[in-house]
Amino acid sequence: MQEISSADIIQRIKVENPWWDGDHTILPAYRDMKRRAYFALLFPLIKNLAVRRAVVLMGPRRVGKTVMIHQSIQALLTEAVAPKAVCYFSVDHPIYNGLSLDKLLEYYGQATGVDHKSEQIYVFFDEIQYMRDWEQYLKALVDTYPNVRTLASGSAAAALRLKSEESGAGRFTDFLLPPLTFYEYLDLLGKTDLFEWSTDEGAFTTTDINEVNRQFIDYLNIGGYPEVVFSSEIQSDPGQFIKNDIIDKVLLRDLPSLYGISDIQELNSLFTTLAFNTANEVSLEELSKNSGVAKNTIKRYIEYLEAAFLIRSIHRVDRNAKRFRRANFFKVYLANPSMRAALFAPVNANDERIGALVETAIFSQWFHGPPAVLYYARWSGGEVDIVSLASDTQKPSWAVEVKWSDRYCEKPEELKSVITFCRSTGLRDILVTSKTKAVTCETEGVTIEFVPASSYCYTVGFNAIHNRSLSASVREKNR
């Protein structure tokens, strides 16, 4: 039986790095794709040679990590970095099985004649979670070779985050690439001209809210993943793509292999239940009773699903914005609303489920930005959807009530829960989303600003990327 030789491995490395020869450019499939807005945050990290750290690019499946890596390579080549000083490895390729990062660099040197011990190089390890003990190898690489600027990526976000936190120890900079914001969705489609910035309003406004809402409904159904945005074939059956290529691989492969989950059907059933009830309040007691699974097991499953960036859970405060000692009730949101449409059915503007999807979309925009302490308020007879507590005083700094209706613009007095919460907590103003109208009114001493939900979604998504410093876009490991 023939064995894989060093020459075979070197030939594979050359195939993965076509810019070493010819026109010194990446594959057209990557070169011609429009960059995500997150590229402007990631690329400076890659170029920053003053910081001796490896960048760990993590995120759920199919959000464009590999594309962004190749676009980063193209940008380096455009900035006159020597082509052979840039190397890419697709670590999940079977030919690399059992090889360490050091051995891969050795083969790279044989393929190019570049000495990574003395020359400045950029190395990209894609899907690194397929390498056993990758975090130890990467840590050693950072410590041993100051001339090697490294980015490692992986789709098993839970695995990478866990290993990075355990072993990063000041050597790794984590960068999370989430699903698309509504702003990014329109940006990729070239439709950001639907909005313009209003200095007076301090937000984006539009003169064609009906078209914006049509795009927003599409975003709720298919807008989370770049590949879906550009493929009419995938759009005809997004459930096949999102469920099979994203959700199932996380539930059936990533999480069980990382956490040793034996009852995969149990995990899958819980996720399906939570996805169906996105934006609704649930409890461990209720979930346990309906599923027959122990509460402690469900709690662990939810932690795993959050680590895999499939869901986010939000805890409750009362009408006075006081937190509960026991978190018996909480809300769960999908990380992107298009997952629900893929699992069950697409929604239209008048669907009875549209409210939960709009609320999920708005929450998912906030998940992109700098960490915000977000809660929801609920008490007997009332609820407010989003409450942000100031970290120093633990008092509400702002709140948002999500509606997909213009009715309350004409009858703000019907927003009894909103008014009660503001009066109880001392909030003087609150934002309420609408379907199409943007107006401001005052009721019982509370200023209520109505903003179309789609416009608010766009503004939050834009600010999450453009109105934050680079240090806020990553979690630096200063341990």
Side-chain angles (χ1 to χ4, degrees):
M1 183 174 63
Q2 293 183 333
E3 295 184 356
I4 297 173
S5 67
S6 297
D8 293 322
I9 296 173
I10 290 172
Q11 182 57 38
R12 177 63 202 176
I13 295 173
K14 288 181 177 180
V15 169
E16 291 185 338
N17 293 267
W19 49 89
W20 291 349
D21 299 305
D23 61 358
H24 295 167
T25 188
I26 64 173
L27 297 174
Y30 299 116
R31 185 178 66 242
D32 298 338
M33 294 188 72
K34 188 171 183 177
R35 293 173 177 174
R36 283 191 61 172
Y38 271 89
F39 180 87
L41 297 176
L42 177 65
F43 190 59
L45 289 177
I46 297 171
K47 291 200 305 176
N48 188 0
L49 303 179
V51 178
R52 192 170 165 181
R53 294 185 178 195
V55 177
V56 179
L57 173 62
M58 63 182 72
R61 295 180 177 276
R62 317 301 285 190
V63 293
K65 297 183 298 298
T66 298
V67 173
M68 195 171 289
I69 286 173
H70 281 84
Q71 290 173 336
S72 298
I73 291 172
Q74 184 65 69
L76 289 172
L77 299 177
T78 301
E79 295 188 3
V81 173
K84 290 186 177 181
V86 182
C87 185
Y88 170 85
F89 295 98
S90 182
V91 180
D92 60 338
H93 195 285
I95 202 169
Y96 300 135
N97 187 40
L99 299 179
S100 67
L101 298 186
D102 257 342
K103 193 64 178 178
L104 289 177
L105 287 178
E106 182 182 321
Y107 282 128
Y108 157 69
Q110 294 176 30
T112 61
V114 174
D115 182 7
H116 66 274
K117 298 178 182 178
S118 59
E119 300 181 46
Q120 178 65 57
I121 65 170
Y122 299 82
V123 183
F124 299 84
F125 298 107
D126 200 7
E127 297 292 1
I128 199 171
Q129 78 272 5
Y130 287 96
M131 177 177 288
R132 185 184 298 273
D133 298 325
W134 67 267
E135 70 284 359
Q136 299 297 336
Y137 288 122
L138 189 59
K139 179 181 176 181
L141 190 153
V142 172
D143 290 340
T144 307
Y145 305 119
N147 297 316
V148 179
R149 188 63 176 152
T150 307
L151 180 144
S153 80
S155 296
L160 264 72
R161 180 181 287 125
L162 176 66
K163 297 295 185 181
S164 176
E165 290 175 351
E166 288 179 348
S167 305
R171 275 78 166 186
F172 302 165
T173 294
D174 291 353
F175 189 101
L176 180 62
L177 185 64
L180 299 174
T181 62
F182 183 44
Y183 157 70
E184 282 191 292
Y185 173 75
L186 291 182
D187 184 50
L188 290 178
L189 291 176
K191 295 181 180 293
T192 56
D193 58 354
L194 287 169
F195 286 97
E196 60 180 22
W197 178 257
S198 171
T199 303
D200 293 337
E201 299 291 335
F204 285 94
T205 60
T206 180
T207 56
D208 193 351
I209 189 61
N210 292 326
E211 176 59 24
V212 168
N213 281 348
R214 280 192 288 272
Q215 296 295 333
F216 186 55
I217 297 299
D218 286 344
Y219 171 73
L220 297 182
N221 289 318
I222 62 169
Y225 304 93
E227 199 168 347
V228 184
V229 174
F230 293 114
S231 173
S232 56
E233 181 178 350
I234 295 177
Q235 289 177 17
S236 65
D237 187 8
Q240 180 76 10
F241 172 83
I242 295 176
K243 185 178 185 302
N244 292 358
D245 285 7
I246 300 172
I247 298 172
D248 284 353
K249 286 183 178 179
V250 173
L251 296 178
L252 302 181
R253 185 168 68 179
D254 294 345
L255 290 179
S257 65
L258 176 63
Y259 297 109
I261 299 170
S262 57
D263 196 334
I264 298 173
Q265 184 176 355
E266 195 173 76
L267 175 67
N268 194 16
S269 177
L270 174 65
F271 175 72
T272 302
T273 298
L274 295 176
F276 188 78
N277 288 282
T278 183
N280 291 332
E281 186 178 60
V282 296
S283 70
L284 291 176
E285 185 74 33
E286 182 183 20
L287 291 171
S288 177
K289 182 179 179 181
N290 291 340
S291 65
V293 180
K295 287 189 288 185
N296 286 339
T297 301
I298 290 177
K299 187 176 180 181
R300 289 200 306 273
Y301 283 169
I302 289 175
E303 291 173 355
Y304 300 159
L305 293 170
E306 285 196 274
F309 209 77
L310 290 179
I311 65 170
R312 286 287 296 269
S313 59
I314 301 296
H315 293 289
R316 186 174 67 163
V317 296
D318 62 17
R319 64 187 291 175
N320 298 309
K322 300 297 183 182
R323 290 182 291 176
F324 292 85
R325 290 186 178 181
R326 297 181 60 187
N328 294 325
F329 295 89
F330 54 95
K331 281 188 177 185
V332 171
Y333 292 91
L334 289 168
N336 185 268
S338 65
M339 282 193 283
R340 192 191 190 284
L343 286 170
F344 304 106
V347 297
N348 58 50
N350 300 313
D351 196 294
E352 63 178 8
R353 299 163 294 175
I354 187 69
L357 269 293
V358 171
E359 188 176 331
T360 299
I362 288 176
F363 251 104
S364 71
Q365 313 303 298
W366 279 107
F367 296 156
H368 284 243
V373 186
L374 299 181
Y375 299 85
Y376 72 101
R378 190 161 189 171
W379 62 95
S380 178
E383 180 179 349
V384 174
D385 292 321
I386 308 177
V387 177
S388 178
L389 300 184
S391 57
D392 52 348
T393 64
Q394 291 299 296
K395 293 183 178 180
S397 52
W398 53 265
V400 175
E401 174 69 8
V402 179
K403 301 291 186 184
W404 181 251
S405 170
D406 292 331
R407 166 186 170 183
Y408 301 98
C409 300
E410 305 296 331
K411 299 180 178 180
E413 67 277 2
E414 293 186 1
L415 294 169
K416 298 186 183 302
S417 295
V418 168
I419 297 169
T420 296
F421 182 77
C422 288
R423 292 173 65 88
S424 297
T425 60
L427 272 181
R428 297 183 177 180
D429 53 74
I430 190 170
L431 188 146
V432 177
T433 66
S434 64
K435 188 174 182 179
T436 66
K437 294 186 177 181
V439 296
T440 301
C441 63
E442 185 173 320
T443 301
E444 298 185 36
V446 177
T447 300
I448 302 176
E449 180 185 5
F450 291 94
V451 176
S454 53
S455 296
Y456 182 68
C457 233
Y458 183 91
T459 299
V460 175
F462 180 93
N463 288 343
I465 296 173
H466 292 289
N467 281 11
R468 56 179 177 159
S469 65
L470 186 60
S471 62
S473 71
V474 295
R475 294 187 297 112
E476 294 288 350
K477 302 294 188 183
N478 291 317
R479 298 188 300 271

